[in-house]
C-alpha cells in the first residue's frame, strides 16, 4: 500500500524542507486535498487496511508493519534523503530495527496512527498487527513500548501483536519471544534463506534453496511445537506451502494454526488438506 498508493517516503512527508524543489512540487500535488501531509499518509493507509479488514470482519486480519529494505525505501519519492546506502540491505536496517530508531520512529508513528484509526474510529477490532524481522526479544519489547508511546497498546481493546518468525533466533528462542508476543507467523522465504545461508535471488546458488530441506523442516517443527506449548497462534505466510503441497501436510501434522496461500493454489490446497485430514481421522478411528 505504501509503495503503490502513498508513493512518498514517510519522512519526506514530515520533513519536506529536505527535499528538492521538484520533489516538493510532486509531494504537494500528491497530498492535495488533505489538511496535512501526515493526515494524507494516515488516511490513505487506514483506508487501504480497512478495506481488507472490513471484507473479512469479524474474522482476524493480520497486518504486517512495513518491511522495506533501505534500498526499497530509497525508491520512494524523497527517500534518498533519509536512507543509508547498505551493502546488504536484506540483513540491514529493516523491520523492527527501524521502528524504535530515532532516525525513523516518526515514520513508524504514522503507521501506528493508521492502525488506531482502523481499530478505534472504524471499529475494525479484528485487525492484528505483526512485527517483521525482529532479531531479539529485547527488540520486540522495544517495538511494543514504542507502539505504546503512540497510544497503540498491546492488549488494549483486544489488540494482539504477532511477530514474524523468519530468523533462526526466532526459532531457537521461541519460548522467550512468545512470552512477549501473542503469536508467530512463519516467513518461510527468509527463514529458509537464513537457515541454509543461501541468497534466494542468486541464480548461481538457487538450486540449493529448498524449503523442504531437513534443516528447514526441523526449524518449522520446533517453532510450531513451541507455540503450541505456549498456547499461542502459529501460522505461515511464506511461499513454501503454495510451491510444495506436500509441505502443507507436514505443517498440519505438526499442528500449525493457519496456512497462507497464493490465490491460484487456494482451492486445490483446500481439497488436499480436507482429504489429508479425513485420512488422519480415519487412521485415528482404526
Amino acid at each position: 500500500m505504501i509503495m503503490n498508493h502513498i508513493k512518498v517516503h514517510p519522512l519526506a512527508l514530515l520533513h519536506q524542507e529536505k527535499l528538492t524543489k521538484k520533489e516538493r512540487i510532486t509531494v504537494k500535488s500528491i497530498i492535495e486535498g488533505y489538511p496535512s501531509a501526515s493526515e494524507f499518509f494516515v488516511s490513505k493507509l487506514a483506508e487501504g487496511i480497512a478495506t481488507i479488514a472490513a471484507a473479512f470482519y469479524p474474522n482476524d486480519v493480520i497486518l504486517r508493519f512495513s518491511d522495506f529494505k533501505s534500498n526499497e525505501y530509497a525508491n520512494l519519492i524523497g527517500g534518498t534523503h533519509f536512507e543509508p546506502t547498505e551493502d546488504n540491505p536484506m540483513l540491514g536496517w529493516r523491520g523492527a530495527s527501524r521502528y524504535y530508531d530515532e532516525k525513523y520512529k516518526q515514520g513508524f508513528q504514522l503507521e501506528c496512527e493508521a492502525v488506531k484509526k482502523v481499530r478505534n474510529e472504524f471499529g475494525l477490532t479484528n485487525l492484528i498487527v505483526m512485527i517483521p524481522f525482529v532479531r531479539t526479544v529485547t527488540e520486540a519489547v522495544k517495538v511494543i513500548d514504542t507502539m505504546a508511546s503512540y497510544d497503540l497498546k498491546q492488549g488494549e481493546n483486544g489488540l494482539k501483536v504477532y511477530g514474524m518468525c523468519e530468523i533462526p533466533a526466532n526459532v531457537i528462542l521461541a519460548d522467550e519471544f512468545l512470552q512477549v508476543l501473542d503469536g508467530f507467523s512463519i516467513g518461510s522465504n527468509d527463514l529458509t534463506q537464513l537457515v541454509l545461508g543461501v541468497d534466494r535471488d542468486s541464480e548461481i546458488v538457487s538450486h540449493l534453496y529448498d524449503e523442504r530441506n531437513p534443516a528447514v523442516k526441523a526449524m518449522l517443527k520446533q517453532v510450531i511445537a513451541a507455540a503450541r506449548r505456549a498456547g499461542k497462534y502459529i501460522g505461515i505466510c511464506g511461499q513454501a506451502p503454495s510451491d510444495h503441497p506436500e509441505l502443507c501436510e507436514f505443517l498440519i501434522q505438526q499442528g500449525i494454526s493457519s496456512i497462507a496461500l497464493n490465490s491460484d493454489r487456494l482451492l486445490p490446497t483446500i481439497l488436499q488438506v480436507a482429504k489429508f485430514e479425513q485420512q488422519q481421522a480415519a487412521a485415528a478411528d482404526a
Side-chain angles (χ1 to χ4, degrees), residues 23-37:
E23 288 170 335
R24 286 196 297 272
I25 292 171
T26 301
V27 169
K28 184 178 180 180
S29 67
I30 290 174
I31 68 173
E32 187 175 1
Y34 290 86
S36 67

Side-chain angles (χ1 to χ4, degrees), residues 96 100 131 134-145 169-181 184:
Y100 57 87
I131 307 169
V134 53
R135 293 170 166 103
T136 69
V137 177
T138 300
E139 188 167 63
V141 172
K142 285 183 178 180
V143 173
I144 291 171
D145 287 347
N170 300 144
V171 179
I172 295 166
L173 297 179
D175 293 333
E176 289 84 349
F177 274 103
L178 290 169
Q179 289 177 18
V180 175
L181 300 167
F184 258 153

Side-chain angles (χ1 to χ4, degrees), residues 1-9 30 40 75-78:
M1 280 182 272
I2 294 175
M3 186 69 74
N4 295 326
H5 298 288
I6 294 175
K7 301 179 182 179
V8 184
H9 193 289
I30 290 174
F40 161 78
N75 287 330
L76 293 169
I77 296 169

Side-chain angles (χ1 to χ4, degrees), residues 261-282:
L261 297 162
N262 292 345
S263 57
D264 62 327
R265 288 297 309 165
L266 183 59
L267 184 57
T269 304
I270 288 174
L271 296 173
Q272 175 203 351
V273 168
K275 182 178 179 181
F276 178 70
E277 289 181 336
Q278 288 173 355
Q279 291 172 343
Q280 280 194 314

